[in-house]
Amino acid sequence: MDAFSDLIRGVRAHGSLFGTTTVSPPWSLHFADGAPLTLVTALTGSGWVVPAGLPPERLRAGDTMIVRGPGTFAFVDEVGTSAEPVECGVDCATPEQGGARHRLGWSDPAGDAGATTLITGAYPARGEISRRLLDALPVLLRVDAGGTADPVLEQLAAEVAVDAPGQQVVLDRLLDWMLVCTLRSWFDRPGGEPPAWWAAQHDPVVGAALRLLHEEPAAPWTVGALASRTGVSRSTMAKRFAELVGEPPLTYLTRWRMTLAADLLVDREAATVAEVARTVGYADPFGFSSAFKRVRGINPSEFRQAAAR
């Protein structure tokens, strides 16, 4: 388990909104639900993505954009279009209605050679684990056509063109794949400034240490133990980790444990604070509570009560 896999596991297309539509100019689709992440890609044609409060971005065939909520955005044929906006939120497409087969409120003129075909997937993002990924992303990011996501886009295009059993499950998994490919390409783009944890994963020593911390967060880690498992000296581990990640190994581990604990406190309502503490590597619930308050600014019981409200 690497850091990216751990962070993205709470951002899944299961239960997501999915839509595909073919529109002819003029058009104006307003995505009003403010989903945590919305992926937008054009199979054919082009248009403009207009996020609230940001300049418009051109979307051409094969390009992919990801819009981070809670702000809304529009997809229009031209900036300043005369088209009346069509609201596309929770009523546009839901898994219960068959996903791509039911596109409520969307224009769908068949056989128009000059039309634009748009695919959108809105991802729910649950809990504090997902928040760490969202915090690393801008409101709008784009990846141009010609990258590793192109084969996935071809599969999406083929799947939405048929009506077959299990279609929603296939679309969910393809959307997950599309999101991972798009984020990988964006983080690794030339001249980019990826988050420290992403860049550090490429280092043979620190990357290995991060994988260990994410695979076994409850283990009794010390800097010496990490150094031994990765084949370097303790001083090398401490220095290299701090330089690449921006904080010492055990500080990173504590923050990650508290992120895991925050989600456990909400997801497992029947679990006691002591049980959550043991799950993330603390034998002493008082020590866990102290660490949680130091990192999160609130004790575990107060955090759970606030989340319930």
Side-chain angles (χ1 to χ4, degrees), residues 50-108:
V50 187
L54 290 177
E57 286 270 357
R58 184 74 162 169
L59 182 73
R60 298 179 176 84
D63 294 347
T64 300
M65 294 187 189
I66 294 176
V67 184
R68 176 171 58 82
T72 61
F73 70 97
F75 181 68
V76 298
D77 62 315
E78 293 291 346
V79 178
T81 183
S82 60
E84 287 294 321
V86 174
E87 293 289 321
C88 287
V90 295
D91 293 331
C92 274
T94 65
E96 292 75 16
Q97 295 171 315
R101 293 178 53 209
H102 296 266
R103 301 180 288 275
L104 302 183
W106 296 44
S107 172
D108 191 5

Side-chain angles (χ1 to χ4, degrees), residues 5 55 63-64 110 115 134 138 140 151 161 163 176-177 189 194 205 230 281 296:
S5 296
D63 294 347
T64 300
L134 297 181
L140 178 67
D163 179 8
D176 286 341
W177 189 8
R189 72 198 187 282
V205 172
T230 54
R296 312 287 305 189

Side-chain angles (χ1 to χ4, degrees), residues 1-11 129-130 133 201 210-211 213-217 252 256 260:
M1 180 69 73
D2 58 81
F4 178 59
S5 296
D6 237 356
L7 294 180
I8 204 169
R9 64 187 166 93
V11 183
I129 293 174
S130 300
L133 175 63
Q201 292 179 117
L210 283 170
R211 282 190 292 274
L213 295 179
H214 281 264
E215 286 170 359
E216 306 171 51
Y252 178 92
W256 178 239
L260 295 173

Side-chain angles (χ1 to χ4, degrees), residues 163-204:
D163 179 8
Q167 184 184 54
Q168 186 64 46
V169 175
V170 174
L171 292 174
D172 281 347
R173 299 293 72 78
L174 287 172
L175 281 171
D176 286 341
W177 189 8
M178 188 80 179
L179 179 66
V180 169
C181 289
T182 302
L183 290 177
R184 280 176 178 170
S185 297
W186 188 78
F187 282 140
D188 283 334
R189 72 198 187 282
E193 297 181 0
W197 53 261
W198 175 268
Q201 292 179 117
H202 299 299
D203 182 83

Side-chain angles (χ1 to χ4, degrees), residues 166 188 212 227-228 230 241 287:
D188 283 334
L212 289 169
S228 176
T230 54
F241 196 103

